[in-house]
Structures are given as structure tokens and as C-alpha cells.
Amino acid sequence: MHSFAITAPDRGMENSLKHKVDRKTKPPGSLGQLEALAVRIGLIQQTLTPSLDRPQMLVFAGDHGAAKAGVSAYPQDVTWQMVENFLAGGAAINVFARQNGLGLSVVDAGVAHDFGGPREGLIDLKVAPGTANYLESPAMTAAQCAQAIEQGAGVVFGLAAAGCKVVGFGEMGIGNTASASLITHCLTAVPLADCVGRGTGLDDAGLARKQALLELALTRYRNAGGADDAFAVLAEFGGFEIATMVGAMLAAAEAKMVLLIDGFIVGSAALVAARLAPALLDYCVFCHRSVEPGHRAQLQALRAEPLLDLGLRLGEGTGAALAFPLVQAAVAFLNEMASFESAGVAG
């Protein structure tokens, strides 16, 4: 598997960036989180004048063997039907990406459907038509997991070569909040019950059933000697969309891009990627706090302070697309706002 060369940004410019922020015509610190964000992006790009060229959303889609066992409120066919909706431009992520000037591609990492040859806006990286059922066996082999990571990395290295400096992450896969719950529990040690939520809208009985099924999967893994190694956990419980996203994130950090991290499922990929390469976190902008309970556990483990808290739980990368104007605002004020000196204002 590609060994990723991810290094923390050189902090030598940090004081210069902070000085530039502090000399703007405003009270020090008065733009709050936007100030820290401006400094972060300047450090990522190693410049006092960062830019957000060719911003791109990637929505990773895959199916889960465990979905047939009833861990979701929706049937598995919804995964491919929603991919068709993305390709037709009709989903929430399409609306917000258009509104905010983000390119959008859908990555078929392992959807249980044939999309019929090359399609505009669809990147075919199908590892297999869905994972195995982790209630009975590992979701994927180590080789499949490594293949997914490799393929995800390839897409992002291609974007970087084309001049893209910002990549937003989204996902689609019926059953993937269950995967994210298991990954989050294993990698944060937060009790599983605190990592399991209603996903696409389970009622109380459905939530209890999901919880019981995930406890079974975890017991099977532990009894087989399963460890909390990030790659092992990803292969055991992940989806191909999550594993492909991990590779894409690692490549984005190696290429020194800005990563827009969405909610709970994208967060589970970020958790894995950050365990594999801790310096990756310096390149991440955490866009929102999901209402999925496990997302709080992730954000605490990653010491992340998200930009938005809107009660979102849709996925698709919608939180990342909605937060992008704030990222643009941080760069814009750094580049365009007058300083006390230039404006002739007494500091």
C-alpha cells in the first residue's frame, strides 16, 4: 500500500500570519474562529495570501452487507437510487455545491448496482458490489481495504495535479452510520451505546435492534482477538466508501490541501486517517457538529471545534458544502481587509 508522506505544516510562518490577522482594522480576536481558520489555511499553504482554487466535493458511495440485517430504516436500494439523484443534480449536496461554487463528483467505491458504463460525474472505483456482513465475518479483506485506500488516494492526487486546493468529503451508503458507530467505539473507547444513533430515522425499537446487532458484531470481533488497530477496525466494520475516503484524505493531506470534514460518517474516516497519520489533522477543517451522538465522541477524540452546529444529520457532505462560505470568508478577510496602517486607522 502507498506509504503516505504527511508532515505537519512548518509553523515558521505562524507569527507572521497572526500578526497580519491582528493588524486588520478590527479589535484583536473579534472575528473569533475565523481568525484561527485564516491562520490554519495560511499555514497549510505556507503563504500570507492563501487561495481556495478549484474547490471540489467528493461523495463516496458504497453498500454494506449488514444493511440487509436491518441496521437501517431504509432499504439498500436507496444507495444506488441516491447516486442516480446525485448524477441528475437533484440532491441536497448538489444544491449546496452549486450555490457555493463547489465542483462535485460521485465515487462508486462499492455500490451493489451496475451504473452502465462511464457516466458524467461518476468515478468508478468499485472494489466489490458491497461489503460482507460484519455480523458474520469481516466486512472486507485486508487486500480489499488496501485497494480502496489506494484508489481513493489516486483520485485526490489527480485533483491536486489539476490545481485543486480544497477537497470536501461526503458519503452515501445505507447502513453506514452503523459502521461509523463501531469504528468510533473501537478508536475512541467511548461506550458503544454512546456511539449509536438513529441514522436515517430509526424509531425506538429500531434503535434498540441496531444497538443489539452492533453489540453482536463487536462481540464476534473481540472473540476472534480483534484489536483496536485503525486499519484492522476499518477492514472489519467499514464500508468501501469509508475506506476509499480514508485514502482520499491521506492523499489530500500529503498534497497539502484543505480538507473539509463533514459529519459522523466522514468523521469516522477522519478518525481512521488521523490514527494512521496524526499530522493529517493540521489540514482538516471540521465543518459541523452532527446530531448523531457518536459524532461528539469523534470531535472530542480529535480535539476538533466545528464551524457550524445546525442539527444536521443528512450526510452527503452537506455540512461541508454549507461551511465552505465561512472558509472563503476567512481567506477573504486575510487577503482583502485593510490593516490599521493601510487604512490610516489608529490601532
Side-chain angles (χ1 to χ4, degrees), residues 37-292:
L37 186 54
V39 171
R40 163 162 292 212
I41 295 168
L43 282 175
I44 288 171
Q45 297 186 3
Q46 291 290 297
T47 177
L48 292 170
T49 53
S51 62
L52 300 170
D53 305 345
R54 296 183 178 229
Q56 181 74 29
M57 283 294 317
L58 294 173
V59 179
F60 297 80
D63 275 309
H64 294 251
K68 297 189 187 75
V71 296
S72 173
Y74 281 77
Q76 192 171 57
D77 277 349
V78 170
T79 303
W80 74 259
Q81 290 164 356
M82 280 302 297
V83 170
E84 288 289 359
N85 191 17
F86 299 143
L87 296 176
I93 188 54
N94 299 100
V95 174
F96 300 148
R98 278 196 298 270
Q99 176 191 340
N100 295 327
L102 289 150
L104 175 66
S105 297
V106 183
V107 176
D108 174 8
V111 180
H113 183 77
D114 179 4
F115 291 100
R119 299 275 301 274
E120 181 69 33
L122 183 67
I123 300 168
D124 180 8
L125 302 181
K126 201 192 299 276
V127 178
T131 54
N133 179 359
Y134 55 64
L135 298 168
E136 295 158 4
S137 69
M140 56 189 102
T141 65
Q144 285 178 321
C145 192
Q147 179 191 342
I149 289 172
E150 200 75 52
Q151 291 181 165
V155 168
V156 170
F157 284 136
L159 287 175
C164 170
K165 292 188 177 178
V166 188
V167 60
F169 294 87
E171 46 55 50
M172 178 64 218
I174 293 301
N176 65 9
T177 59
S179 272
S181 297
L182 287 162
I183 291 168
T184 302
H185 162 71
C186 290
L187 297 187
T188 66
V190 169
L192 184 61
D194 297 336
C195 297
V196 180
R198 297 181 187 274
T200 45
L202 291 170
D203 58 15
D204 289 349
L207 182 63
R209 174 179 164 76
K210 179 178 179 179
Q211 170 86 36
L213 288 170
L214 299 192
E215 293 283 3
L216 283 174
L218 195 58
T219 301
R220 180 192 61 70
Y221 182 55
R222 294 289 184 233
N223 289 346
D228 290 331
D229 164 75
F231 182 88
V233 168
L234 176 64
E236 190 70 28
F237 299 124
F240 292 130
E241 82 281 28
I242 296 173
T244 305
M245 198 166 11
V246 168
M249 288 179 180
L250 291 166
E254 180 177 311
K256 303 194 182 311
M257 299 161 95
V258 176
L259 284 67
L260 304 178
I261 307 297
D262 189 42
F264 181 48
I265 293 110
V266 173
S268 73
L271 203 53
V272 172
R275 291 287 190 266
L276 297 173
L280 172 120
L281 291 174
D282 289 323
Y283 298 88
C284 294
V285 174
F286 288 86
C287 291
H288 79 107
R289 180 179 281 108
S290 166
V291 292
E292 272 289 314

